Amino acid sequence: MFQDEKIRKLFEQILHDWEVWHNEPQIKLLEQFAEEGRRINYIYAVAVCASASSYTIFGLAPYIYYSFVPNSNKSRESYQVPEKYVPSNGGYIYISIAYNLLSLWTNSIIFITADSIYFSLVQHSCGLFAAVGNRFEAIGKKYSGSTKMSDILYCILKYNSALKFAAELNEIYSIYFFFTVGINAANIIFAASQTIIHFESSTETVKFGNYGILMVGLFFLNSFPAQKLIDRSFKITQNIYNSNWYEMPTSIRKSLFIVLLRASNLCTINVGKICILSLQTFSTVVRTTVSMCMMILSLR
């Protein structure tokens, strides 16, 4: 919400980029990445809704059951909905259930909205780098004496535009991921440790195990697009190398060399000022969690 205006400007930039590349053959690359982003958003929304629905069904099932089937010993097992945190002899249990489920679906909608915007912006940024890289490579391969310096300058300007888009994207989501990645990492470690500690209780094991798997999935879905942005921004160097740069005049080769120097500085999504969001960060958290679980098992 605090970054609303900046996000709005990025979407306006997306519209501008589609107009600029509309008559270029590289528009197919933008369409490819946009379609891929649409599929990712759809799968992510379905997965989150399915997870929330399963939590709702399994959380309400015991209460629906006990509403029709009398319980002789007046006791209930501990299920996903935290009934043990409210007075058992009052009428607050149903208010607690309603509040719990309302919070669940509200958070699910927030997750879907925020992360879908993130996926879409990253996909467009990757599409820009792919289009610029393809343009660099195409100009180099069809180079002849008639190729003008203006063609290279056009690619450099579009490359600068893609770099600016990626930098603004990083500025918007750096603080966001500082909190979400930190919370997700802590939740993964907590859920894994609780799963091991309560391993003898099937109910608790399933509860914390499912929660841990969900957190790992969310963390991976945040890390994978960031890794894709890193790889795609670096691939510009390969595109330039694949062109016939050695047949170009010295002035053009110097310009391409400057682009290569800039491409070596990767475009990333930072987690505050702590680390870079990537699959390496994801694997580090998972390895730390596994190591902690093995330590707890050895202590048991």
Side-chain angles (χ1 to χ4, degrees):
M1 293 171 61
F2 289 126
Q3 305 289 350
D4 178 65
E5 289 300 322
K6 293 182 179 179
I7 293 177
R8 187 186 301 275
K9 289 181 180 179
L10 286 185
F11 277 107
E12 292 175 354
Q13 182 63 37
I14 290 176
L15 292 175
H16 175 73
D17 292 335
W18 277 78
E19 292 176 358
V20 170
W21 292 95
H22 180 70
N23 295 323
E24 303 292 340
Q26 287 77 23
I27 189 64
K28 294 182 179 179
L29 292 172
L30 291 180
E31 292 175 351
Q32 175 184 342
F33 280 91
E35 178 62 22
E36 183 178 344
R38 187 189 68 83
R39 291 196 300 267
I40 293 174
N41 287 336
Y42 178 77
I43 295 173
Y44 179 75
V46 170
V48 173
C49 289
S51 177
S53 299
S54 64
Y55 186 97
T56 302
I57 293 172
F58 289 106
L60 290 180
Y63 305 99
I64 297 176
Y65 174 79
Y66 285 119
S67 297
F68 295 96
V69 178
N71 189 11
S72 58
N73 56 10
K74 304 298 182 181
S75 64
R76 299 178 181 178
E77 291 187 50
S78 175
Y79 291 93
Q80 287 177 312
V81 177
E83 65 166 328
K84 57 186 177 182
Y85 298 114
V86 298
S88 59
N89 56 352
Y92 302 103
I93 180 63
Y94 298 103
I95 297 177
S96 176
I97 295 173
Y99 176 79
N100 189 294
L101 296 180
L102 178 62
S103 301
L104 170 68
W105 283 99
T106 301
N107 286 326
S108 298
I109 293 173
I110 292 174
F111 267 112
I112 293 173
T113 303
D115 289 341
S116 294
I117 293 175
Y118 165 66
F119 296 151
S120 300
L121 293 177
V122 171
Q123 284 295 120
H124 180 73
S125 183
C126 292
L128 288 179
F129 284 118
V132 172
N134 182 268
R135 185 67 177 261
F136 269 121
E137 191 169 340
I139 290 178
K141 288 185 176 180
K142 69 177 183 180
Y143 175 78
S144 63
S146 60
T147 301
K148 299 180 180 179
M149 184 67 177
S150 58
D151 295 332
I152 301 296
L153 290 178
Y154 177 82
C155 292
I156 294 175
L157 289 175
K158 294 307 171 187
Y159 180 56
N160 287 334
S161 178
L163 291 174
K164 183 179 178 181
F165 188 94
E168 293 176 352
L169 177 61
N170 176 47
E171 181 181 355
I172 290 173
Y173 281 95
S174 177
I175 302 300
Y176 170 78
F177 282 122
F178 174 76
F179 291 101
T180 57
V181 170
I183 293 173
N184 282 348
N187 282 338
I188 290 171
I189 296 175
F190 169 78
S193 61
Q194 290 298 313
T195 302
I196 298 299
I197 293 173
H198 298 91
F199 195 74
E200 296 177 355
S201 174
S202 59
T203 302
E204 297 294 326
T205 301
V206 171
K207 180 193 301 185
F208 289 110
N210 287 338
Y211 184 71
I213 293 173
L214 175 62
M215 289 297 102
V216 170
L218 289 175
F219 195 10
F220 176 78
L221 287 175
N222 288 330
S223 303
F224 181 74
Q227 181 66 50
K228 191 174 182 179
L229 178 62
I230 294 174
D231 297 339
R232 183 55 61 175
S233 64
F234 182 72
K235 198 172 181 180
I236 292 288
T237 58
Q238 181 179 350
N239 295 129
I240 295 177
Y241 182 78
N242 290 337
S243 64
N244 297 332
W245 55 269
Y246 45 84
E247 297 180 356
M248 300 180 184
T250 304
S251 59
I252 294 181
R253 279 185 283 175
K254 288 182 178 179
S255 299
L256 293 179
F257 180 71
I258 294 175
V259 175
L260 287 174
L261 289 178
R262 176 58 186 85
S264 62
N265 187 12
L266 302 177
C267 295
T268 60
I269 304 294
N270 297 326
V271 182
K273 296 183 179 180
I274 299 177
C275 62
I276 295 174
L277 184 62
S278 64
L279 291 180
Q280 182 177 359
T281 305
F282 169 78
S283 63
T284 300
V285 173
V286 173
R287 286 199 305 268
T288 303
T289 304
V290 173
S291 300
M292 184 171 295
C293 291
M294 297 302 294
M295 181 186 67
I296 295 175
L297 281 174
S298 63
L299 293 176
R300 286 170 60 88

